[in-house]
Amino acid sequence: MLKVTAVAPESIGAELGLKPGAELLTINGREIEDFLDWEFLSADEQFLLQVRQPGGEEIEFDIERPEGVPMGVAVEAARIRRCANRCDFCFVDGLPQGLRDTLYIRDDDYRLSFKYGNFATLTNLKPRDVERIVEYRLSPLYVSVHATDPVVRRWLLRNPLAPDILEQLRLFAGHGIAFHTQVVLSPGVNDGAVLERTLKDLYGFGASVLSVSAVPVGLTTFSKHQLVREPTRDECRAAIGQLEEWAARARRERGITWAFGADELYLRAALPLPPAEAYDGFEQVENGVGSVRWLEQRIAEDAATLAPWRGRRIGVLTGRSMAGLMPQVLEPLERITGARFELIPLGNPLFGDSVTCAGLLPGAAFQAALVGRSHLDVALIPGESLNEDQLFMDDLTLQALRSTTPVEVRPSYHFTDALDTPPVR
Ligand code: SF4
């Protein structure tokens, strides 16, 4: 059973008289468990839908749905599948106490992997899940491989029952499913020869493995430092060397880069980022792979949409890792807009200063940094630091931040989304 949360006017759902709170029970006699069932089973041109209306009345609709016409029905969010692992580098273990409950949930959900590109380990799949992945052909999936050696992988995941990832990928690939994969690089565990084997095994899948990225482990003050450490500059360089060798081979043999290092890996290695063309259309940009090159490209593409900012002053607040790469992004923006940008790199008072990524900055860090900055016309903060309820990691709201700062605050993902309208004052 799946609850309806909203119905678009003049849609098929509205014509049927569906209301928020109605329960979608079955399609063609098959139980509707979640949004996947709803999306896939209701995609047919004709089907029987059994519904329980909010008043308790059960109705069966015989629906004809012309191709491409949406049902116009929004459904409740899926109950997140919990993770079966206990990785030493888990972000949840690196959280301080006292944050909102939802942040402590370890999610590992193949449905969200398909729908939103969240990485999943596939270690918690039940036979029914395997059937659904195959039946609905959920492709591409985003898979945390980490290591193809099953012993190393079980060690990394702290899960002695983790199935062999190669067997899983083989089964799904046999049904036409493709994967974007990632390796979270834990030095001394899955780098070096283990990484080489992982890259070789994944390359052996041919077109089924669309890409592989390596992301260095990121730890906070609260992480299990006695069990895991961040890679050194030389370890990052060695991993990049391996990735670039596979990338060169993939470009020669397949015409794609295929193997990528996250921007963070290049930063820690103190090596220049690859050019934009090397990122194969930025398929893993949400994973921090090619973010800077993507930003530069986005700015160039959106240049014509920017408001006139000549003579204005714009503050750019970000984490320390991105701050190192910001000058090369802000320089063209200055040229295009005529504004003056002031880069304000922030430490992280919530997780400790070793955490340098922008998305984990708490509201209090922005609040403190903007004290006395009334000379700015606008302050841009990273959009990733807010959740969909406009809450920062420390539960401060965007509204509360705005009400306590002397400057207009705009969340932004790629600058041009926040610079298309002139400042209020
Ligand atoms: S797979 Fe590992 S890192 Fe991801 S949520 Fe589970 S324990 Fe945490």
Side-chain angles (χ1 to χ4, degrees):
M1 184 277 291
L2 187 66
K3 272 210 166 122
V4 172
T5 54
V7 181
E10 293 173 28
S11 64
I12 298 178
E15 265 177 42
L16 298 175
L18 294 181
K19 301 262 177 327
E23 294 169 356
L24 306 169
L25 302 175
T26 62
I27 288 181
N28 294 336
R30 280 183 62 175
E31 204 183 318
I32 303 171
E33 191 186 307
D34 57 19
F35 70 89
L36 274 185
D37 291 329
W38 172 242
E39 284 180 17
F40 282 86
L41 298 177
S42 69
D44 286 349
E45 280 179 24
Q46 188 164 19
F47 57 91
L48 291 174
L49 170 66
Q50 196 192 4
V51 173
R52 189 182 297 124
Q53 290 286 34
E57 184 193 2
E58 282 195 20
I59 312 173
E60 188 169 72
F61 297 104
D62 189 349
I63 296 176
E64 278 194 33
R65 180 180 181 181
E67 203 185 330
V69 176
M71 287 295 293
V73 174
V75 295
E76 63 187 326
R79 271 188 62 205
I80 301 292
R81 299 288 291 271
R82 302 298 168 103
C83 172
N85 314 309
R86 280 291 176 274
C87 311
D88 293 337
F89 52 77
C90 185
F91 167 73
V92 172
D93 290 326
L95 293 172
Q97 307 239 305
L99 302 179
R100 58 181 176 274
D101 290 349
T102 48
L103 290 172
Y104 298 97
I105 296 173
R106 293 173 210 256
D107 64 301
D108 194 6
D109 197 321
Y110 68 95
R111 300 168 304 174
L112 306 186
S113 169
F114 168 69
K115 184 138 175 119
Y116 301 114
N118 298 5
F119 278 91
T121 65
L122 310 184
T123 51
N124 56 356
L125 297 186
K126 299 188 178 77
R128 173 88 190 104
D129 301 321
V130 174
E131 281 169 24
R132 294 177 96 206
I133 291 172
V134 170
E135 183 190 349
Y136 294 154
R137 206 156 171 202
L138 303 184
S139 179
L141 287 176
Y142 289 74
V143 182
S144 286
V145 170
H146 301 328
T148 51
D149 179 325
V151 176
V152 176
R153 187 164 193 259
R154 285 177 194 131
W155 166 267
L156 272 162
L157 298 173
R158 297 280 176 184
N159 180 356
L161 302 177
D164 185 331
I165 189 68
L166 288 176
E167 281 177 20
Q168 288 184 297
L169 296 183
R170 228 171 267 133
L171 184 151
F172 292 131
H175 289 276
I177 289 158
F179 317 95
H180 289 287
T181 61
Q182 75 156 350
V183 168
V184 172
L185 217 53
S186 182
V189 185
N190 63 344
D191 56 353
V194 177
L195 176 63
E196 197 57 27
R197 172 170 165 183
T198 301
L199 293 167
K200 182 167 178 269
D201 288 341
L202 294 177
Y203 195 75
F205 277 88
S208 300
V209 171
L210 302 166
S211 68
V212 56
S213 66
V215 183
V217 287
L219 304 175
T220 78
T221 301
F222 309 96
S223 299
K224 298 172 175 170
H225 291 271
Q226 70 284 15
L227 297 173
V228 61
R229 65 175 175 83
E230 294 182 346
T232 62
R233 188 191 69 160
D234 288 346
E235 287 165 339
C236 291
R237 286 188 172 195
I240 288 171
Q242 289 173 277
L243 291 162
E244 290 191 344
E245 272 187 32
W246 281 96
R249 178 170 169 187
R251 274 195 295 270
R252 262 193 330 270
E253 295 177 357
R254 300 181 184 172
I256 54 171
T257 299
W258 186 76
F260 305 94
D263 289 11
E264 182 70 21
L265 195 68
Y266 281 88
L267 259 176
R268 289 190 193 197
L271 289 175
L273 294 168
E277 320 74 81
Y279 286 101
D280 291 355
F282 298 101
E283 290 280 8
Q284 289 213 30
V285 71
E286 299 286 334
N287 201 24
V289 177
S291 321
V292 171
R293 297 299 185 212
W294 180 82
L295 258 182
E296 290 171 338
Q297 209 173 69
R298 192 72 205 246
I299 289 166
E301 282 167 11
D302 293 351
T305 67
L306 300 180
W309 288 85
R310 187 152 303 282
R312 302 290 197 163
R313 297 180 71 123
I314 301 171
V316 175
L317 292 85
T318 189
R320 290 197 175 126
S321 65
M322 274 306 261
L325 296 166
M326 270 306 119
Q328 70 193 69
V329 176
L330 296 180
E331 190 269 326
L333 261 182
E334 285 203 334
R335 245 184 308 111
I336 294 165
T337 61
R340 282 185 59 197
F341 285 83
E342 191 173 317
L343 184 60
I344 307 171
L346 303 181
N348 195 315
L350 188 62
F351 295 104
D353 279 349
S354 66
V355 174
T356 56
C357 70
L360 295 180
L361 285 167
F366 300 116
Q367 220 165 18
L370 289 173
V371 170
R373 305 239 186 207
S374 51
H375 62 286
L376 295 173
D377 292 291
V378 162
L380 303 183
I381 62 167
E384 303 83 4
S385 59
L386 286 161
N387 71 2
E388 62 273 21
D389 298 322
Q390 306 286 280
L391 280 174
F392 294 99
M393 292 295 287
D394 55 357
D395 277 358
L396 191 78
T397 63
L398 176 61
Q399 198 185 7
L401 173 67
R402 282 177 166 155
S403 67
T404 53
T405 48
V407 48
E408 186 189 342
V409 175
R410 296 187 183 183
S412 170
Y413 289 93
H414 48 83
F415 295 107
T416 58
D417 55 348
L419 298 178
D420 52 356
T421 49
V424 172
R425 63 171 199 189

